[in-house]
Amino acid sequence: MFSCQGGGLRVRSWFTLTSGLVECLGFAGAVFGWASLVFVLKTEGYFKSLCVNTTINGTAVEDCSRQDEQLSLIFTIASFMNNFLTLPNGFLFDHFGTTVARLLGISVYTAGMLLIAFSSPVNSVLLFPALSFIAVGGILFLVTNIQVGNLFGTHRSTIITLYNGAFDSSSAVFLIIKLLYEYGVSLRGSFLFLACCSVIHLFRTFVLMPRTHIPYPLPENYTYGMNCGGTRDHAVANVEEKNIQTSQSEEEMPFKETSPQGQNTDKIERSFKSCLLSWFFLWHLLWLSVMQLRHYLFIGTLNPMLNHLAAGDPGLVSRYTNAFAFTQLCGILCAPWNGLIMDRHKGKQREPGQSEQETDLKAAIVSLSLTALQCVLFSVCAAIPLLPLQYLTFILQVLNRSFLYGGNAAFISVAFPSVHFGKLFGMVMALSAVVSLLQYPCFTLIKGPLGGDPFYVNIGLTVLSLLAFINPLYVYLHCRRQAGHRPSSNKSASS
């Protein structure tokens, strides 16, 4: 077992980071590779009983549209649960700590894998709870791993965005299962193997992860993990509990930011209610919601859009669909760029009187603005009815998606107290999930009055995406107000 002092702690931190990346890359976001798994499920005959024989132009054909609807409904429910249940999962993580949250995630995730492993075409309905369990367990893996970034102070945001990129790229898990299936490996064998991998998750939970939380900034001589400071971890838990009790006793008005007078206010923990009702949270929710809606609708209408642009040529549609699937695997390569942008100020000397949080917020302005700009460019390319241009659209989409979710977690970690991270992360994901339901009326509008042409809806969403610039603008104005108060605060302190 590693020693937890000096170099031993650094080795443990890097081992925790690497194993966490493997966990997120190999398991956490597997649900988003659903398109690859559908191929295997349809080959196995899941929901085959819903297919009916029909006659079109005198030719007998098999209509499996109801089978496709059922499989699509499974993913719709699971993806909604993935976002919406992040809220209770966040409360669970904040109040009960890492061990409890991870044990729940492991249990649910393993149950989902076993349900698919022991399902069959006769009991296809098991896929409904199975995929939802995999989605909920996977997001708990991500939430509990994000705090590992706190161990790398100067590269904190880079680590957070890297984990989110690994989560995005883990959609390749179901693609690997599809390829193995084509080489003769059974569906049951693949999912039993993934269920057995829960032993790895348990090892990380008890040996490499803290019992409660990894604080930020790290206390002096901080230790964590098995044989590595159980007493210290307990002490950190007591400090966090006192912080929560102190923050709950504060009375702050809604939509009121922390006072710029003096620097002691940065050390006072704000209540969860005051964070939730702050302009920071409101504008960040708008920032995430409008861009997430744009991404979900693009993915949901990709196939009919390609059919429309390719004039129904199945070869062209297949080629562009494969190109889109391949670019999704590059999320882990794109995500760290955003973290590097947010961490570029680390190690530099701060301005006199400038708090660390204010420095982090100033760095976040560039990240938030660049993400919004990427979304607008991606939306403009998607709206132009030119098929070869869609290759560029795919690149901008995966780049923006990586920046979006990595930047979301990184901004919440620097703008609000760490004791509320899980709750606020869960709340913003849950509320944005509700907003994303607007994709259904947009899809209905495209398929109905617009006759399958998404051009006007794309134009409307491009205009809507411009609202995302409000968030970085507000953060910029907030930092300017803070900077304007510093000279007077320093002068009054010296007098």
Side-chain angles (χ1 to χ4, degrees):
M1 188 61 61
F2 296 126
S3 168
C4 280
Q5 302 297 327
L9 179 59
R10 285 192 293 272
V11 171
R12 173 181 287 270
S13 299
W14 279 103
F15 194 64
T16 302
L17 167 64
T18 305
S19 60
L21 285 174
V22 172
E23 183 175 78
C24 287
L25 184 60
F27 304 93
V31 66
F32 292 103
W34 174 247
S36 299
L37 186 61
V38 164
F39 174 85
V40 180
L41 296 175
K42 294 180 75 171
T43 304
E44 287 281 299
Y46 283 75
F47 295 109
K48 186 70 174 179
S49 60
L50 298 178
C51 295
V52 295
N53 293 322
T54 186
T55 303
I56 300 177
N57 297 328
T59 304
V61 296
E62 189 177 41
D63 180 13
C64 292
S65 58
R66 290 188 61 198
Q67 179 192 35
D68 292 333
E69 289 175 3
Q70 284 294 100
L71 292 171
S72 177
L73 182 61
I74 291 171
F75 177 72
T76 300
I77 295 173
S79 58
F80 177 79
M81 298 285 281
N82 176 78
N83 276 12
F84 191 76
L85 287 187
T86 308
L87 175 59
N89 288 341
F91 275 88
L92 177 77
F93 173 62
D94 282 346
H95 285 279
F96 295 99
T98 303
T99 300
V100 173
R102 285 185 59 83
L103 289 177
L104 175 63
I106 294 168
S107 301
V108 172
Y109 191 89
T110 306
M113 291 296 177
L114 290 175
L115 282 174
I116 295 182
F118 291 103
S119 66
S120 67
V122 177
N123 52 16
S124 302
V125 70
L126 289 178
L127 294 176
F128 280 93
L131 202 69
S132 294
F133 285 173
I134 293 173
V136 174
I139 199 66
L140 273 170
F141 289 157
L142 176 63
V143 170
T144 54
N145 273 302
I146 283 176
Q147 63 178 327
V148 174
N150 295 346
L151 296 172
F152 302 86
T154 56
H155 303 289
R156 182 188 184 203
S157 298
T158 304
I159 301 303
I160 291 175
T161 53
L162 187 61
Y163 273 121
N164 278 270
F167 180 86
D168 290 340
S169 295
S170 60
S171 59
V173 173
F174 284 170
L175 175 61
I176 294 172
I177 289 177
K178 173 180 176 292
L179 296 176
L180 291 174
Y181 179 81
E182 293 173 344
Y183 278 96
V185 179
S186 68
L187 187 68
R188 175 168 297 182
S190 295
F191 278 92
L192 282 176
F193 173 78
L194 289 175
C196 291
C197 286
S198 295
V199 175
I200 300 174
H201 307 318
L202 288 172
F203 173 82
R204 292 194 71 249
T205 300
F206 292 111
V207 178
L208 294 175
M209 299 295 285
R211 184 175 61 84
T212 53
H213 305 91
I214 300 176
Y216 183 80
L218 285 179
E220 187 178 356
N221 297 323
Y222 173 74
T223 60
Y224 69 98
M226 181 180 291
N227 294 340
C228 192
T231 305
R232 181 66 182 173
D233 204 17
H234 179 71
V236 172
N238 290 336
V239 172
E240 289 181 348
E241 183 178 356
K242 291 179 182 179
N243 287 338
I244 295 174
Q245 293 173 351
T246 302
S247 66
Q248 290 174 342
S249 66
E250 295 175 4
E251 295 292 335
E252 296 192 45
M253 296 297 292
F255 302 106
K256 181 180 179 182
E257 299 298 338
T258 51
S259 170
Q261 302 295 331
Q263 295 306 316
N264 292 334
T265 54
D266 293 325
K267 299 179 182 179
I268 299 176
E269 299 290 1
R270 300 169 57 195
S271 67
F272 171 68
K273 181 180 179 181
S274 69
C275 293
L276 188 64
L277 297 178
S278 67
W279 288 109
F280 265 173
F281 184 84
L282 176 66
W283 297 131
H284 186 68
L285 174 63
L286 178 68
W287 178 85
L288 176 65
S289 298
V290 296
M291 288 191 282
Q292 181 173 262
L293 175 62
R294 185 66 192 96
H295 282 272
Y296 280 8
L297 187 66
F298 176 77
I299 295 172
T301 61
L302 178 63
N303 185 261
M305 182 194 75
L306 292 177
N307 272 297
H308 178 75
L309 295 179
D313 185 338
L316 277 176
V317 173
S318 176
R319 183 193 309 169
Y320 279 85
T321 302
N322 290 340
F324 174 76
F326 177 77
T327 56
Q328 300 306 297
L329 303 180
C330 300
I332 191 172
L333 302 177
C334 303
W337 301 349
N338 194 17
L340 291 171
I341 292 173
M342 297 188 70
D343 283 337
R344 73 189 191 283
H345 69 281
K346 298 289 188 181
K348 297 181 180 179
Q349 186 174 4
R350 296 198 298 264
E351 298 176 14
Q354 187 179 51
S355 66
E356 184 172 359
Q357 186 196 37
E358 186 180 348
T359 309
D360 289 336
L361 288 175
K362 286 184 67 176
I365 296 172
V366 178
S367 170
L368 297 172
S369 302
L370 184 58
T371 305
L373 179 61
Q374 290 170 353
C375 185
V376 172
L377 293 176
F378 145 63
S379 190
V380 168
C381 289
I384 299 175
L386 186 63
L387 191 58
L389 185 62
Q390 300 316 305
Y391 286 120
L392 177 60
T393 304
F394 299 158
I395 295 172
L396 289 172
Q397 190 270 340
V398 71
L399 179 65
N400 183 234
R401 189 170 185 265
S402 298
F403 269 59
L404 178 64
Y405 291 106
N408 169 50
F411 179 78
I412 292 175
S413 70
V414 302
F416 302 102
S418 60
V419 294
H420 302 313
F421 173 82
K423 296 187 288 291
L424 291 171
F425 182 78
M427 182 65 77
V428 76
M429 293 298 289
L431 294 177
S432 65
V434 175
V435 175
S436 70
L437 293 177
L438 292 174
Q439 65 182 302
Y440 182 75
C442 290
F443 182 76
T444 304
L445 179 63
I446 293 173
K447 298 297 289 185
L450 297 180
D453 186 359
F455 178 76
Y456 293 105
V457 171
N458 284 334
I459 293 297
L461 288 175
T462 301
V463 175
L464 186 65
S465 299
L466 294 173
L467 295 177
F469 284 101
I470 296 178
N471 190 29
L473 177 62
Y474 180 79
V475 176
Y476 170 74
L477 294 176
H478 170 80
C479 291
R480 282 196 59 181
R481 287 195 300 269
Q482 293 288 87
H485 282 285
R486 278 204 303 270
S488 59
S489 298
N490 293 340
K491 186 180 297 183
S492 60
S494 60
S495 61

